[in-house]
Amino acid sequence: MTRYVMVADLNRCVGCQTCTAACKHTNATPPGVQWRKVLDVEMGEYPNVERLFMPVGCQHCSDPPCMEVCPSTATGQRKDGIVTIDYDICIGCSYCAVACPYQARYKVETPRFAYGEQPTETEALRFDEGRIGVAQKCTFCSDRVDAGLARGLKPGVDPDATPACANACIANALTFGDLEDPDSNVSKLLTDNTWFRMHEELGTEPGFFYLWNEK
Ligand code: SF4
Ligand code: SF4
């Protein structure tokens, strides 16, 4: 079995948003839609204040509430754990967006472009009518993963089979890989570091782990 997950090292992330830009470029998301975001978090009380940067997005939960509430079966889960949306089946009811505890889902009702009503040349080329009026979110770049696998590449190791955000990170803060493989990069990171998952108490079993070693 395979379970693809992302590990974000909060000790390394510098909040540069390169991952956000790489995601927007790769997935051609419109203005206001960020499948990969980085939160700027301030903790503690003056003068003992700490600032950290936290990459967020769809957590590809093992037990995803978004899938449970989806009345059309548009939201699904692959055998490798990636949570998917079938744009052809989605009816745009947004139940999933309400159910998602991680605010990972978006819906765009009308085409949006960077500079007014007309798309730029690149936007026109990459515009996907199928994403209008339906739910959308991070896919863990499943198209890259699948294309890489078909070429015999290893997701998380070979860049062509790895999500764009992890490839682009300037600080080596994002690592993608198979949690079920004890020798994978993600398994080793989780063995060697202290980690947590967001809203563990909800029982969603997120596929997104955060390394946070107290200094
Ligand atoms: S983070 Fe939200 S959208 Fe992603 S799988 Fe979990 S519940 Fe669904
Ligand atoms: S690219 Fe890396 S360092 Fe920059 S914000 Fe994203 S995760 Fe953090």
Side-chain angles (χ1 to χ4, degrees):
M1 288 288 278
T2 300
R3 186 178 182 208
Y4 289 122
V5 301
M6 190 72 76
V7 174
D9 188 340
L10 302 183
N11 303 288
R12 297 189 72 92
C13 178
V14 295
C16 65
Q17 305 276 356
T18 306
C19 51
T20 307
C23 175
K24 285 198 80 66
H25 174 72
T26 302
N27 296 300
T29 53
V33 174
Q34 284 181 230
W35 291 359
R36 166 71 63 248
K37 277 194 284 196
V38 181
L39 305 180
D40 188 336
V41 183
E42 212 174 85
M43 300 185 306
E45 270 184 41
Y46 179 83
N48 301 312
V49 180
E50 209 167 347
R51 190 177 178 200
L52 69 82
F53 303 100
M54 190 168 197
V56 295
C58 176
Q59 309 275 309
H60 294 275
C61 308
S62 270
D63 191 2
C66 58
M67 190 168 81
E68 248 170 68
V69 300
C70 177
S72 71
T73 70
T75 292
Q77 193 172 35
R78 301 179 4 160
K79 285 195 173 72
D80 60 13
I82 296 179
V83 175
T84 56
I85 302 168
D86 186 332
Y87 299 140
D88 291 336
I89 298 178
C90 178
I91 56 172
C93 65
S94 291
Y95 284 10
C96 56
V98 175
C100 171
Y102 305 98
Q103 299 176 354
R105 290 190 169 228
Y106 295 84
K107 190 171 80 166
V108 173
E109 296 288 3
T110 50
R112 280 187 210 159
F113 304 109
Y115 304 101
E117 288 179 12
Q118 292 308 315
T120 61
E121 205 176 318
T122 316
E123 283 175 323
L125 273 175
R126 305 188 66 199
F127 177 69
D128 180 359
E129 182 74 40
R131 276 198 214 155
I132 299 298
V134 296
Q136 55 172 291
K137 66 168 190 68
C138 158
T139 62
F140 266 176
C141 287
S142 55
D143 48 349
R144 295 176 62 80
V145 170
D146 292 344
L149 285 170
R151 290 168 53 204
L153 303 177
K154 192 162 183 171
V157 175
D158 296 304
D160 283 352
T162 300
C165 57
N167 284 340
C169 178
I170 63 157
N172 208 15
L174 291 173
T175 307
F176 181 76
D178 178 11
L179 188 66
E180 298 291 329
D181 173 1
D183 294 323
S184 69
N185 292 345
V186 290
S187 295
K188 285 181 184 157
L189 283 171
L190 295 175
T191 303
D192 295 343
N193 294 277
T194 307
W195 54 264
F196 68 90
R197 292 187 290 186
M198 243 197 271
H199 292 311
E200 190 88 70
E201 74 281 4
L202 299 177
T204 53
E205 289 189 50
F208 210 117
F209 295 76
Y210 294 94
L211 305 187
W212 182 238
N213 295 318
E214 294 291 341
K215 296 184 184 92

